[in-house]
Amino acid sequence: MSKSVVEQVQETVAFLRSRYPETPEVGIVLGSGLGNFAAHIRVEAEVPYSEIPHFPVSTVKGHSGKLIFGELAGKKVVAMAGRFHFYEGYTPQEVVFPVRVFKLLGIRQLLLSNAAGGVNPGFSVGDIMIINDHISFGTPNPLVGKNIEEWGTRFPDMSEPYKKSLIARAREICSEAGIDVREGVYYAVTGPTFETRAEYKMIHTLGADAVGMSTVQEAIVANHMALDVFAVSIITDLGIRDEENVITHEEVLEAAKAAEPKLAHLFTEMVARA
Ligand code: HPA
């Protein structure tokens, strides 16, 4: 019989503890173009996903990812350099597997980041947006299926998916550093297509400020497991321009890279004050 998710996560955690015996306090997920942030971590162990039991197997050629364990701002952290997206063909359960592993490794707080398209007309490319809520009708809910009672309740409350106290802390950090920061609602889509002009407009009409292909499934599972979640979008393109509106993956990566120092400062300080 195939192993239950609980057994799989437990085996993965046991394996990772054999590679890195310490308990990370904060988990970090690095979004597209934001991998450079890993350079700020004093690395104590690196484990390629391909070596980790039960981790989703990448089918994309040249797609490598790894877990990085180490110290940041005096605290033990674990970071995912490369995440799993639903559009790559992973099931929602595979997408969130690492978050469940992080929780059982002992993290208290989860910091998520992503590259996103801006649909708020006041936004510019390179802005950083604290996510204060999300709309998730676009991607399947990873909690569909038999509930794992030992991890969380059948019907999790989602009134505060992104912890208000962490949002306040992030605003304080940005204000101290003179970083102009936005705040808003993230709309999750499956991708891999970028949105049509009509879709960007609709997403804004529905009350969102940014749109992207990740993060929400991870945030849902983290809430289910009672982790404190904080998430940030880097606005890498604008979906609401009236003129020619061609968006490319290269443009997204470039804009994310350019904004990475702001994210690095924010995440480093979030960890320092965690
Ligand atoms: N739409 C969806 N996902 C994205 C975008 C976008 O415009 N930009 C970066 N990720």
Side-chain angles (χ1 to χ4, degrees):
M1 218 177 85
S2 62
K3 289 187 174 129
S4 70
V5 180
V6 174
E7 287 167 326
Q8 289 182 13
V9 169
Q10 284 168 347
E11 281 184 10
T12 305
V13 167
F15 168 82
L16 290 171
R17 287 229 172 92
S18 76
R19 290 293 192 91
Y20 186 74
E22 311 221 34
T23 300
E25 283 185 64
V26 181
I28 299 170
V29 180
L30 302 171
S32 303
L34 299 168
N36 281 350
F37 174 75
H40 298 269
I41 300 170
R42 197 163 60 72
V43 178
E44 290 167 339
E46 280 189 348
V47 191
Y49 294 159
S50 56
E51 292 177 15
I52 306 176
H54 308 303
F55 247 53
V57 177
S58 174
T59 50
V60 184
K61 199 164 166 252
H63 179 108
S64 66
K66 60 188 173 188
L67 286 188
I68 298 167
F69 293 90
E71 206 170 282
L72 179 69
K75 295 217 166 63
K76 300 295 182 193
V77 300
V78 55
M80 280 184 86
R83 60 146 60 88
F84 301 102
H85 301 88
F86 182 64
Y87 66 74
E88 294 174 87
Y90 300 110
T91 65
Q93 288 71 29
E94 286 173 327
V95 168
V96 301
F97 189 83
V99 174
R100 289 171 157 165
V101 168
F102 279 12
K103 166 75 184 189
L104 269 73
L105 277 172
I107 68 160
R108 293 181 286 110
Q109 212 179 86
L110 181 65
L111 308 183
L112 301 169
S113 62
N114 61 56
V119 294
N120 181 322
F123 285 5
S124 308
V125 168
D127 278 354
I128 107 170
M129 183 190 93
I130 295 169
I131 301 178
N132 61 18
D133 209 344
H134 70 228
I135 299 175
S136 84
F137 298 127
T139 51
N141 193 306
L143 298 177
V144 169
K146 191 171 184 310
N147 185 48
I148 303 170
E149 287 294 325
E150 59 213 273
W151 287 347
T153 179
R154 171 74 289 189
F155 300 107
D157 170 66
M158 287 297 274
S159 60
E160 196 181 339
Y162 306 93
K163 190 100 179 140
K164 285 195 183 110
S165 56
L166 297 183
I167 293 174
R169 186 176 290 164
R171 295 197 72 94
E172 201 175 280
I173 290 165
C174 288
S175 147
E176 286 167 11
I179 296 171
D180 195 17
V181 70
R182 314 283 191 171
E183 191 176 317
V185 175
Y186 179 91
Y187 189 104
V189 292
T190 64
T193 47
F194 290 115
E195 290 63 52
T196 65
R197 289 167 58 163
E199 286 165 347
Y200 280 120
K201 260 189 215 149
M202 177 201 77
I203 288 165
H204 180 54
T205 303
L206 289 178
D209 300 286
V211 52
M213 306 175 194
S214 66
T215 303
V216 162
Q217 291 171 323
E218 296 153 353
I220 287 173
V221 160
N223 273 272
H224 180 244
M225 296 181 101
L227 274 173
D228 289 350
V229 182
F230 173 76
V232 159
S233 287
I234 304 293
I235 305 299
T236 55
D237 53 271
L238 299 172
I240 29 74
R241 291 171 294 187
D242 278 335
E243 74 280 20
E244 191 81 0
N245 199 26
V246 179
I247 294 165
T248 64
H249 186 54
E250 288 66 35
E251 169 189 5
V252 166
L253 291 181
E254 210 170 288
K257 242 181 160 169
E260 191 270 333
K262 286 194 277 192
L263 177 94
H265 180 78
L266 174 55
F267 270 18
T268 303
E269 278 303 306
M270 288 299 283
V271 170
R273 301 178 198 190

